[in-house]
Structure formats: structure tokens, C-alpha cells
Amino acid sequence: MGLAQYRVGNYNAAAKELEAYVQLSDSVDQHPVLMDCYRAQKRWRKVAELWADLAAVSPSADVVTEGRIVYAGALADQ
């Protein structure tokens, strides 16, 4: 549901669904999408927190790369 909300640009609803996913799964695989939701809402601190979580776990290269791109975009937006 979170990904569907994200795709239609409903970032607040997407973030809520993705936060629930993270709590239930204890996974970071959707962190880049959640980070982008927060970036769209200008919630810079949350973007940085998720990036720190993602970097600490260091999942697959694709997920880290996507997170790095979102984090760089958030820094540029600021």
C-alpha cells in the first residue's frame, strides 16, 4: 500500500504505510522510498536518520545506492 501511495504522490500516507512495514519487518529495503517521502515533506532530520540506519546495516548495493541518491537530493534541496 505504501508503494502505491508513493507512486501517486501521496507522500504522507505512503510514509505511514512504509513506517508500519519497517516496524513489522525490521527491514531497511524500503528505506530509500521512505526517505524520499520525507524529502518531499521537507522532513530533513528523518531523511538523515533513515540514511544513518541504512548505511549502518549496509544491505544490497542497489538499496544503498538508491538511498545515497535520495540523501544527496535531500541535501541539495536544503
Side-chain angles (χ1 to χ4, degrees):
M1 181 59 119
L3 294 176
Q5 293 288 351
Y6 174 78
R7 287 187 183 116
V8 297
N10 193 349
Y11 301 115
N12 189 42
K16 288 179 183 177
E17 295 292 336
L18 291 168
E19 287 167 358
Y21 169 79
V22 169
Q23 287 184 333
L24 292 171
S25 68
D26 198 34
S27 176
V28 297
D29 65 322
Q30 294 302 317
H31 270 33
V33 180
L34 184 53
M35 289 168 63
D36 202 34
C37 290
Y38 288 140
R39 185 189 64 78
Q41 298 174 54
K42 299 182 185 328
R43 296 176 66 186
W44 313 123
R45 185 172 301 161
K46 293 294 281 183
V47 174
E49 289 172 6
L50 289 174
W51 170 245
D53 291 347
L54 184 63
V57 175
S58 191
S60 72
D62 291 342
V63 174
V64 173
T65 300
E66 190 176 349
R68 185 176 292 133
I69 291 168
V70 174
Y71 187 59
L75 292 175
D77 289 347
Q78 294 177 60

